Amino acid sequence: MREWLGVKIHEYQAKHILKEYGIAVPEGVMVTSAEDAVRAAGSMHFPVVVKAQVHVGGRGKAGGVKLAHDADDLKRHASAILGMKIKGSAVRRLLVEPGIAIQREIYVGMVMDRARRYPCLMASAAGGVEIEQVAAETPEKILRIHIKPALGLRAYQVRRAAGFLDIPAGVTKAFAAILSGLYRVFMDKDCSLAEINPLVITVDGELIACDAKINFDDNALYRHPEHEEFRDDAEDEPLEVEARRARVSYVKLNGRIGCIVNGAGLAMATMDIVKHFGGEPANFLDIGGGARAEQVTEALRIVTADPAVNTVFFNIFGGIVRCDRVAEGILAAFRQLNLKIPIVIRLVGTNEDKARELLRGTNLIACATMSEAAKKAVELSARRPT
Ligand code: GDP
Ligand code: MN
């Protein structure tokens, strides 16, 4: 449904997983050129469907899903989609599949309900491209069933979902198998989201997963080395890919104030306080507890590589790290990168006096408190030309 935190994979990869769990999916082929799309369709009956493979939703509405009635049609659509950008993501891969003759579109999905602390099955008869709107405007059209992991998905829960969706008697068994498969995928693979939208009832009365979306919980990645093969760096923000290599936790945002912070909680608070004083953070960044000199340099390089950044705000709490060490790191990095933008620094904790001494007489602006520093950063950023 909406974008959840976690590691995203492509539809064709998600469908491979569903298939392993016994869920019917179209027999599609992933290709990267229009010629290969036509070749892949060679053994399929037309119409075939050609679909952009990108890590963002809403492809259908953006023109990234097309039915093709013959090879020429397919070639034309495939080239057009390969030239598209969907919500900023360039399309590099396509999925070519036999078209489905759709009778009904249903939504089924599994999410983790953090508030209730249970995996939650969601189902709606109003499946298809408008599900976001359904969730926002008519939430009563979405059934939510919480599942106790110790008990698993129970038959009565499946019956309740089937009744709610008005599943025809002929496909209730297949429907039960799909829900059970989806639940097992969600649990086995440590997903943060596993959804089929639409789950289609075909005109022949069969159930098939027409679209699939799976996100993995990144906190559980350590026990799934096999998920590494799904990685598609081209889909990720390039600076985020670099940050991952540097072992810095970085998320790009849209503001102008680059934030460099030690500790995830302080990093969140830093973004809040920047906003509080009327600024916009350019990123979330946590250099970790250690805050070694190399990490400081890497972090400063990554943050300032974003052309939107016109001011940097360091917010460091010297609990485990010594502030003078961090100040040395910042100074070295500042010189090495030959930066021209203002850098505001709030450094408190062990050896903070020494740190302030080191920064005196430089272009770096040391502040005593977090709010003073945030205010200063917002002020300097607003004053600079865009
Ligand atoms: P999304 O927009 O990214 O969610 O992409 P989907 O794969 O869900 O496709 C969007 C819509 O295109 C679906 O809800 C269907 O209405 C339609 N669609 C997708 N595949 C087919 C197909 O094989 N046959 C037909 N007739 N329609 C399809
Ligand atoms: Mn869809």
PDB file of all heavy atoms in Angstrom, residues 155-187:
ATOM      1  N   ALA A 155      -8.120 -21.059   9.801  1.00  0.00           N
ATOM      2  CA  ALA A 155      -9.156 -21.268   8.774  1.00  0.00           C
ATOM      3  C   ALA A 155     -10.297 -20.267   8.940  1.00  0.00           C
ATOM      4  O   ALA A 155     -10.831 -19.753   7.958  1.00  0.00           O
ATOM      5  CB  ALA A 155      -9.685 -22.702   8.847  1.00  0.00           C
ATOM      6  N   TYR A 156     -10.685 -19.960  10.191  1.00  0.00           N
ATOM      7  CA  TYR A 156     -11.816 -19.039  10.376  1.00  0.00           C
ATOM      8  C   TYR A 156     -11.467 -17.640   9.887  1.00  0.00           C
ATOM      9  O   TYR A 156     -12.334 -16.902   9.414  1.00  0.00           O
ATOM     10  CB  TYR A 156     -12.269 -19.022  11.848  1.00  0.00           C
ATOM     11  CG  TYR A 156     -11.390 -18.247  12.795  1.00  0.00           C
ATOM     12  CD1 TYR A 156     -11.626 -16.887  13.013  1.00  0.00           C
ATOM     13  CD2 TYR A 156     -10.344 -18.861  13.463  1.00  0.00           C
ATOM     14  CE1 TYR A 156     -10.807 -16.169  13.873  1.00  0.00           C
ATOM     15  CE2 TYR A 156      -9.525 -18.147  14.317  1.00  0.00           C
ATOM     16  CZ  TYR A 156      -9.753 -16.804  14.520  1.00  0.00           C
ATOM     17  OH  TYR A 156      -8.939 -16.095  15.353  1.00  0.00           O
ATOM     18  N   GLN A 157     -10.169 -17.300   9.989  1.00  0.00           N
ATOM     19  CA  GLN A 157      -9.749 -15.979   9.511  1.00  0.00           C
ATOM     20  C   GLN A 157      -9.825 -15.915   7.989  1.00  0.00           C
ATOM     21  O   GLN A 157     -10.239 -14.900   7.405  1.00  0.00           O
ATOM     22  CB  GLN A 157      -8.322 -15.675   9.992  1.00  0.00           C
ATOM     23  CG  GLN A 157      -8.241 -15.545  11.511  1.00  0.00           C
ATOM     24  CD  GLN A 157      -6.829 -15.399  12.023  1.00  0.00           C
ATOM     25  OE1 GLN A 157      -5.931 -16.130  11.611  1.00  0.00           O
ATOM     26  NE2 GLN A 157      -6.612 -14.463  12.938  1.00  0.00           N
ATOM     27  N   VAL A 158      -9.438 -17.005   7.360  1.00  0.00           N
ATOM     28  CA  VAL A 158      -9.525 -17.076   5.897  1.00  0.00           C
ATOM     29  C   VAL A 158     -10.993 -16.994   5.466  1.00  0.00           C
ATOM     30  O   VAL A 158     -11.334 -16.272   4.531  1.00  0.00           O
ATOM     31  CB  VAL A 158      -8.895 -18.389   5.379  1.00  0.00           C
ATOM     32  CG1 VAL A 158      -9.102 -18.525   3.879  1.00  0.00           C
ATOM     33  CG2 VAL A 158      -7.412 -18.437   5.726  1.00  0.00           C
ATOM     34  N   ARG A 159     -11.877 -17.692   6.184  1.00  0.00           N
ATOM     35  CA  ARG A 159     -13.319 -17.660   5.838  1.00  0.00           C
ATOM     36  C   ARG A 159     -13.864 -16.245   5.985  1.00  0.00           C
ATOM     37  O   ARG A 159     -14.676 -15.795   5.184  1.00  0.00           O
ATOM     38  CB  ARG A 159     -14.122 -18.627   6.726  1.00  0.00           C
ATOM     39  CG  ARG A 159     -14.017 -20.075   6.279  1.00  0.00           C
ATOM     40  CD  ARG A 159     -15.100 -20.944   6.936  1.00  0.00           C
ATOM     41  NE  ARG A 159     -15.002 -20.973   8.404  1.00  0.00           N
ATOM     42  CZ  ARG A 159     -14.237 -21.832   9.075  1.00  0.00           C
ATOM     43  NH1 ARG A 159     -13.519 -22.747   8.436  1.00  0.00           N
ATOM     44  NH2 ARG A 159     -14.198 -21.794  10.389  1.00  0.00           N
ATOM     45  N   ARG A 160     -13.394 -15.576   7.031  1.00  0.00           N
ATOM     46  CA  ARG A 160     -13.863 -14.207   7.244  1.00  0.00           C
ATOM     47  C   ARG A 160     -13.447 -13.308   6.071  1.00  0.00           C
ATOM     48  O   ARG A 160     -14.245 -12.517   5.560  1.00  0.00           O
ATOM     49  CB  ARG A 160     -13.270 -13.667   8.552  1.00  0.00           C
ATOM     50  CG  ARG A 160     -14.103 -12.559   9.126  1.00  0.00           C
ATOM     51  CD  ARG A 160     -13.618 -12.168  10.513  1.00  0.00           C
ATOM     52  NE  ARG A 160     -13.563 -10.729  10.619  1.00  0.00           N
ATOM     53  CZ  ARG A 160     -12.631 -10.041  11.269  1.00  0.00           C
ATOM     54  NH1 ARG A 160     -11.653 -10.684  11.881  1.00  0.00           N
ATOM     55  NH2 ARG A 160     -12.668  -8.743  11.301  1.00  0.00           N
ATOM     56  N   ALA A 161     -12.196 -13.455   5.629  1.00  0.00           N
ATOM     57  CA  ALA A 161     -11.711 -12.650   4.504  1.00  0.00           C
ATOM     58  C   ALA A 161     -12.483 -12.997   3.244  1.00  0.00           C
ATOM     59  O   ALA A 161     -12.921 -12.111   2.494  1.00  0.00           O
ATOM     60  CB  ALA A 161     -10.219 -12.886   4.301  1.00  0.00           C
ATOM     61  N   ALA A 162     -12.704 -14.287   3.015  1.00  0.00           N
ATOM     62  CA  ALA A 162     -13.418 -14.719   1.797  1.00  0.00           C
ATOM     63  C   ALA A 162     -14.836 -14.165   1.791  1.00  0.00           C
ATOM     64  O   ALA A 162     -15.344 -13.727   0.754  1.00  0.00           O
ATOM     65  CB  ALA A 162     -13.431 -16.244   1.714  1.00  0.00           C
ATOM     66  N   GLY A 163     -15.475 -14.168   2.964  1.00  0.00           N
ATOM     67  CA  GLY A 163     -16.832 -13.626   3.066  1.00  0.00           C
ATOM     68  C   GLY A 163     -16.844 -12.134   2.792  1.00  0.00           C
ATOM     69  O   GLY A 163     -17.674 -11.630   2.033  1.00  0.00           O
ATOM     70  N   PHE A 164     -15.899 -11.440   3.380  1.00  0.00           N
ATOM     71  CA  PHE A 164     -15.806  -9.988   3.213  1.00  0.00           C
ATOM     72  C   PHE A 164     -15.603  -9.612   1.749  1.00  0.00           C
ATOM     73  O   PHE A 164     -16.167  -8.632   1.259  1.00  0.00           O
ATOM     74  CB  PHE A 164     -14.639  -9.469   4.061  1.00  0.00           C
ATOM     75  CG  PHE A 164     -14.468  -7.975   4.057  1.00  0.00           C
ATOM     76  CD1 PHE A 164     -15.247  -7.164   4.879  1.00  0.00           C
ATOM     77  CD2 PHE A 164     -13.520  -7.368   3.231  1.00  0.00           C
ATOM     78  CE1 PHE A 164     -15.089  -5.774   4.885  1.00  0.00           C
ATOM     79  CE2 PHE A 164     -13.358  -5.985   3.229  1.00  0.00           C
ATOM     80  CZ  PHE A 164     -14.147  -5.191   4.051  1.00  0.00           C
ATOM     81  N   LEU A 165     -14.815 -10.437   1.046  1.00  0.00           N
ATOM     82  CA  LEU A 165     -14.488 -10.134  -0.355  1.00  0.00           C
ATOM     83  C   LEU A 165     -15.495 -10.738  -1.323  1.00  0.00           C
ATOM     84  O   LEU A 165     -15.405 -10.516  -2.522  1.00  0.00           O
ATOM     85  CB  LEU A 165     -13.091 -10.672  -0.695  1.00  0.00           C
ATOM     86  CG  LEU A 165     -11.924 -10.096   0.105  1.00  0.00           C
ATOM     87  CD1 LEU A 165     -10.639 -10.852  -0.218  1.00  0.00           C
ATOM     88  CD2 LEU A 165     -11.752  -8.612  -0.204  1.00  0.00           C
ATOM     89  N   ASP A 166     -16.427 -11.556  -0.786  1.00  0.00           N
ATOM     90  CA  ASP A 166     -17.400 -12.216  -1.643  1.00  0.00           C
ATOM     91  C   ASP A 166     -16.704 -13.116  -2.666  1.00  0.00           C
ATOM     92  O   ASP A 166     -16.987 -13.048  -3.868  1.00  0.00           O
ATOM     93  CB  ASP A 166     -18.241 -11.137  -2.361  1.00  0.00           C
ATOM     94  CG  ASP A 166     -19.646 -11.640  -2.622  1.00  0.00           C
ATOM     95  OD1 ASP A 166     -19.946 -12.771  -2.195  1.00  0.00           O
ATOM     96  OD2 ASP A 166     -20.420 -10.915  -3.275  1.00  0.00           O
ATOM     97  N   ILE A 167     -15.794 -13.934  -2.175  1.00  0.00           N
ATOM     98  CA  ILE A 167     -15.059 -14.858  -3.054  1.00  0.00           C
ATOM     99  C   ILE A 167     -16.020 -15.965  -3.498  1.00  0.00           C
ATOM    100  O   ILE A 167     -16.683 -16.583  -2.664  1.00  0.00           O
ATOM    101  CB  ILE A 167     -13.862 -15.477  -2.286  1.00  0.00           C
ATOM    102  CG1 ILE A 167     -12.855 -14.396  -1.865  1.00  0.00           C
ATOM    103  CG2 ILE A 167     -13.180 -16.577  -3.091  1.00  0.00           C
ATOM    104  CD1 ILE A 167     -12.121 -13.708  -2.986  1.00  0.00           C
ATOM    105  N   PRO A 168     -16.125 -16.237  -4.798  1.00  0.00           N
ATOM    106  CA  PRO A 168     -17.047 -17.273  -5.264  1.00  0.00           C
ATOM    107  C   PRO A 168     -16.662 -18.656  -4.731  1.00  0.00           C
ATOM    108  O   PRO A 168     -15.469 -18.942  -4.530  1.00  0.00           O
ATOM    109  CB  PRO A 168     -16.893 -17.243  -6.793  1.00  0.00           C
ATOM    110  CG  PRO A 168     -16.061 -16.068  -7.129  1.00  0.00           C
ATOM    111  CD  PRO A 168     -15.401 -15.582  -5.891  1.00  0.00           C
ATOM    112  N   ALA A 169     -17.668 -19.486  -4.492  1.00  0.00           N
ATOM    113  CA  ALA A 169     -17.444 -20.800  -3.876  1.00  0.00           C
ATOM    114  C   ALA A 169     -16.376 -21.605  -4.622  1.00  0.00           C
ATOM    115  O   ALA A 169     -15.558 -22.291  -4.008  1.00  0.00           O
ATOM    116  CB  ALA A 169     -18.760 -21.570  -3.827  1.00  0.00           C
ATOM    117  N   GLY A 170     -16.360 -21.487  -5.932  1.00  0.00           N
ATOM    118  CA  GLY A 170     -15.429 -22.283  -6.745  1.00  0.00           C
ATOM    119  C   GLY A 170     -13.964 -21.995  -6.466  1.00  0.00           C
ATOM    120  O   GLY A 170     -13.105 -22.837  -6.765  1.00  0.00           O
ATOM    121  N   VAL A 171     -13.651 -20.823  -5.945  1.00  0.00           N
ATOM    122  CA  VAL A 171     -12.228 -20.503  -5.756  1.00  0.00           C
ATOM    123  C   VAL A 171     -11.831 -20.317  -4.288  1.00  0.00           C
ATOM    124  O   VAL A 171     -10.738 -19.845  -4.002  1.00  0.00           O
ATOM    125  CB  VAL A 171     -11.802 -19.247  -6.562  1.00  0.00           C
ATOM    126  CG1 VAL A 171     -11.773 -19.543  -8.043  1.00  0.00           C
ATOM    127  CG2 VAL A 171     -12.679 -18.045  -6.262  1.00  0.00           C
ATOM    128  N   THR A 172     -12.701 -20.719  -3.360  1.00  0.00           N
ATOM    129  CA  THR A 172     -12.354 -20.494  -1.953  1.00  0.00           C
ATOM    130  C   THR A 172     -11.105 -21.286  -1.543  1.00  0.00           C
ATOM    131  O   THR A 172     -10.291 -20.813  -0.766  1.00  0.00           O
ATOM    132  CB  THR A 172     -13.510 -20.841  -0.998  1.00  0.00           C
ATOM    133  OG1 THR A 172     -14.030 -22.097  -1.383  1.00  0.00           O
ATOM    134  CG2 THR A 172     -14.596 -19.793  -1.026  1.00  0.00           C
ATOM    135  N   LYS A 173     -10.949 -22.491  -2.110  1.00  0.00           N
ATOM    136  CA  LYS A 173      -9.758 -23.290  -1.767  1.00  0.00           C
ATOM    137  C   LYS A 173      -8.505 -22.606  -2.268  1.00  0.00           C
ATOM    138  O   LYS A 173      -7.517 -22.484  -1.548  1.00  0.00           O
ATOM    139  CB  LYS A 173      -9.871 -24.687  -2.396  1.00  0.00           C
ATOM    140  CG  LYS A 173     -10.384 -25.711  -1.429  1.00  0.00           C
ATOM    141  CD  LYS A 173      -9.954 -27.114  -1.848  1.00  0.00           C
ATOM    142  CE  LYS A 173     -10.408 -28.077  -0.786  1.00  0.00           C
ATOM    143  NZ  LYS A 173     -10.989 -29.299  -1.370  1.00  0.00           N
ATOM    144  N   ALA A 174      -8.561 -22.152  -3.523  1.00  0.00           N
ATOM    145  CA  ALA A 174      -7.402 -21.462  -4.108  1.00  0.00           C
ATOM    146  C   ALA A 174      -7.120 -20.188  -3.326  1.00  0.00           C
ATOM    147  O   ALA A 174      -5.958 -19.833  -3.076  1.00  0.00           O
ATOM    148  CB  ALA A 174      -7.672 -21.139  -5.582  1.00  0.00           C
ATOM    149  N   PHE A 175      -8.191 -19.528  -2.904  1.00  0.00           N
ATOM    150  CA  PHE A 175      -8.023 -18.283  -2.145  1.00  0.00           C
ATOM    151  C   PHE A 175      -7.330 -18.570  -0.807  1.00  0.00           C
ATOM    152  O   PHE A 175      -6.404 -17.864  -0.406  1.00  0.00           O
ATOM    153  CB  PHE A 175      -9.400 -17.639  -1.926  1.00  0.00           C
ATOM    154  CG  PHE A 175      -9.346 -16.371  -1.118  1.00  0.00           C
ATOM    155  CD1 PHE A 175      -8.820 -15.203  -1.658  1.00  0.00           C
ATOM    156  CD2 PHE A 175      -9.817 -16.353   0.193  1.00  0.00           C
ATOM    157  CE1 PHE A 175      -8.759 -14.037  -0.906  1.00  0.00           C
ATOM    158  CE2 PHE A 175      -9.778 -15.187   0.948  1.00  0.00           C
ATOM    159  CZ  PHE A 175      -9.240 -14.029   0.400  1.00  0.00           C
ATOM    160  N   ALA A 176      -7.754 -19.627  -0.150  1.00  0.00           N
ATOM    161  CA  ALA A 176      -7.135 -20.003   1.128  1.00  0.00           C
ATOM    162  C   ALA A 176      -5.656 -20.305   0.932  1.00  0.00           C
ATOM    163  O   ALA A 176      -4.806 -19.911   1.743  1.00  0.00           O
ATOM    164  CB  ALA A 176      -7.856 -21.207   1.721  1.00  0.00           C
ATOM    165  N   ALA A 177      -5.323 -20.982  -0.160  1.00  0.00           N
ATOM    166  CA  ALA A 177      -3.924 -21.329  -0.426  1.00  0.00           C
ATOM    167  C   ALA A 177      -3.104 -20.069  -0.667  1.00  0.00           C
ATOM    168  O   ALA A 177      -1.940 -19.980  -0.245  1.00  0.00           O
ATOM    169  CB  ALA A 177      -3.838 -22.268  -1.633  1.00  0.00           C
ATOM    170  N   ILE A 178      -3.705 -19.092  -1.326  1.00  0.00           N
ATOM    171  CA  ILE A 178      -2.984 -17.843  -1.597  1.00  0.00           C
ATOM    172  C   ILE A 178      -2.718 -17.080  -0.301  1.00  0.00           C
ATOM    173  O   ILE A 178      -1.603 -16.617  -0.051  1.00  0.00           O
ATOM    174  CB  ILE A 178      -3.763 -16.975  -2.616  1.00  0.00           C
ATOM    175  CG1 ILE A 178      -3.599 -17.588  -4.010  1.00  0.00           C
ATOM    176  CG2 ILE A 178      -3.279 -15.523  -2.606  1.00  0.00           C
ATOM    177  CD1 ILE A 178      -4.464 -16.981  -5.077  1.00  0.00           C
ATOM    178  N   LEU A 179      -3.729 -16.962   0.549  1.00  0.00           N
ATOM    179  CA  LEU A 179      -3.520 -16.258   1.821  1.00  0.00           C
ATOM    180  C   LEU A 179      -2.472 -16.963   2.665  1.00  0.00           C
ATOM    181  O   LEU A 179      -1.603 -16.330   3.268  1.00  0.00           O
ATOM    182  CB  LEU A 179      -4.830 -16.143   2.600  1.00  0.00           C
ATOM    183  CG  LEU A 179      -5.892 -15.192   2.045  1.00  0.00           C
ATOM    184  CD1 LEU A 179      -6.954 -14.935   3.113  1.00  0.00           C
ATOM    185  CD2 LEU A 179      -5.304 -13.877   1.561  1.00  0.00           C
ATOM    186  N   SER A 180      -2.540 -18.289   2.681  1.00  0.00           N
ATOM    187  CA  SER A 180      -1.575 -19.040   3.468  1.00  0.00           C
ATOM    188  C   SER A 180      -0.165 -18.834   2.899  1.00  0.00           C
ATOM    189  O   SER A 180       0.792 -18.622   3.647  1.00  0.00           O
ATOM    190  CB  SER A 180      -1.996 -20.516   3.486  1.00  0.00           C
ATOM    191  OG  SER A 180      -0.867 -21.340   3.535  1.00  0.00           O
ATOM    192  N   GLY A 181      -0.040 -18.862   1.576  1.00  0.00           N
ATOM    193  CA  GLY A 181       1.261 -18.637   0.938  1.00  0.00           C
ATOM    194  C   GLY A 181       1.784 -17.248   1.254  1.00  0.00           C
ATOM    195  O   GLY A 181       2.962 -17.076   1.595  1.00  0.00           O
ATOM    196  N   LEU A 182       0.910 -16.270   1.167  1.00  0.00           N
ATOM    197  CA  LEU A 182       1.320 -14.883   1.402  1.00  0.00           C
ATOM    198  C   LEU A 182       1.790 -14.702   2.850  1.00  0.00           C
ATOM    199  O   LEU A 182       2.797 -14.052   3.116  1.00  0.00           O
ATOM    200  CB  LEU A 182       0.152 -13.944   1.090  1.00  0.00           C
ATOM    201  CG  LEU A 182       0.469 -12.451   1.046  1.00  0.00           C
ATOM    202  CD1 LEU A 182       1.448 -12.126  -0.084  1.00  0.00           C
ATOM    203  CD2 LEU A 182      -0.815 -11.631   0.883  1.00  0.00           C
ATOM    204  N   TYR A 183       1.057 -15.319   3.768  1.00  0.00           N
ATOM    205  CA  TYR A 183       1.435 -15.234   5.185  1.00  0.00           C
ATOM    206  C   TYR A 183       2.802 -15.888   5.417  1.00  0.00           C
ATOM    207  O   TYR A 183       3.653 -15.347   6.113  1.00  0.00           O
ATOM    208  CB  TYR A 183       0.372 -15.901   6.070  1.00  0.00           C
ATOM    209  CG  TYR A 183       0.774 -15.952   7.528  1.00  0.00           C
ATOM    210  CD1 TYR A 183       0.828 -14.786   8.289  1.00  0.00           C
ATOM    211  CD2 TYR A 183       1.126 -17.157   8.130  1.00  0.00           C
ATOM    212  CE1 TYR A 183       1.228 -14.827   9.615  1.00  0.00           C
ATOM    213  CE2 TYR A 183       1.522 -17.210   9.454  1.00  0.00           C
ATOM    214  CZ  TYR A 183       1.568 -16.039  10.200  1.00  0.00           C
ATOM    215  OH  TYR A 183       1.974 -16.072  11.508  1.00  0.00           O
ATOM    216  N   ARG A 184       3.026 -17.038   4.788  1.00  0.00           N
ATOM    217  CA  ARG A 184       4.299 -17.735   4.982  1.00  0.00           C
ATOM    218  C   ARG A 184       5.465 -16.964   4.345  1.00  0.00           C
ATOM    219  O   ARG A 184       6.551 -16.898   4.897  1.00  0.00           O
ATOM    220  CB  ARG A 184       4.223 -19.169   4.447  1.00  0.00           C
ATOM    221  CG  ARG A 184       3.463 -20.089   5.430  1.00  0.00           C
ATOM    222  CD  ARG A 184       3.399 -21.530   4.944  1.00  0.00           C
ATOM    223  NE  ARG A 184       2.555 -21.623   3.759  1.00  0.00           N
ATOM    224  CZ  ARG A 184       2.958 -22.115   2.594  1.00  0.00           C
ATOM    225  NH1 ARG A 184       4.192 -22.559   2.446  1.00  0.00           N
ATOM    226  NH2 ARG A 184       2.128 -22.159   1.579  1.00  0.00           N
ATOM    227  N   VAL A 185       5.231 -16.379   3.183  1.00  0.00           N
ATOM    228  CA  VAL A 185       6.264 -15.528   2.574  1.00  0.00           C
ATOM    229  C   VAL A 185       6.630 -14.412   3.541  1.00  0.00           C
ATOM    230  O   VAL A 185       7.802 -14.158   3.823  1.00  0.00           O
ATOM    231  CB  VAL A 185       5.765 -14.904   1.241  1.00  0.00           C
ATOM    232  CG1 VAL A 185       6.702 -13.779   0.779  1.00  0.00           C
ATOM    233  CG2 VAL A 185       5.643 -15.968   0.155  1.00  0.00           C
ATOM    234  N   PHE A 186       5.590 -13.759   4.067  1.00  0.00           N
ATOM    235  CA  PHE A 186       5.797 -12.616   4.957  1.00  0.00           C
ATOM    236  C   PHE A 186       6.646 -13.014   6.166  1.00  0.00           C
ATOM    237  O   PHE A 186       7.595 -12.311   6.530  1.00  0.00           O
ATOM    238  CB  PHE A 186       4.431 -12.086   5.403  1.00  0.00           C
ATOM    239  CG  PHE A 186       4.512 -10.857   6.265  1.00  0.00           C
ATOM    240  CD1 PHE A 186       4.671  -9.600   5.697  1.00  0.00           C
ATOM    241  CD2 PHE A 186       4.397 -10.951   7.645  1.00  0.00           C
ATOM    242  CE1 PHE A 186       4.742  -8.460   6.493  1.00  0.00           C
ATOM    243  CE2 PHE A 186       4.461  -9.817   8.442  1.00  0.00           C
ATOM    244  CZ  PHE A 186       4.634  -8.562   7.864  1.00  0.00           C
ATOM    245  N   MET A 187       6.326 -14.158   6.772  1.00  0.00           N
ATOM    246  CA  MET A 187       7.045 -14.580   7.970  1.00  0.00           C
ATOM    247  C   MET A 187       8.431 -15.135   7.636  1.00  0.00           C
ATOM    248  O   MET A 187       9.426 -14.744   8.233  1.00  0.00           O
ATOM    249  CB  MET A 187       6.240 -15.639   8.735  1.00  0.00           C
ATOM    250  CG  MET A 187       4.879 -15.155   9.210  1.00  0.00           C
ATOM    251  SD  MET A 187       4.948 -13.692  10.271  1.00  0.00           S
ATOM    252  CE  MET A 187       5.386 -14.457  11.831  1.00  0.00           C
TER     253      MET A 187
END
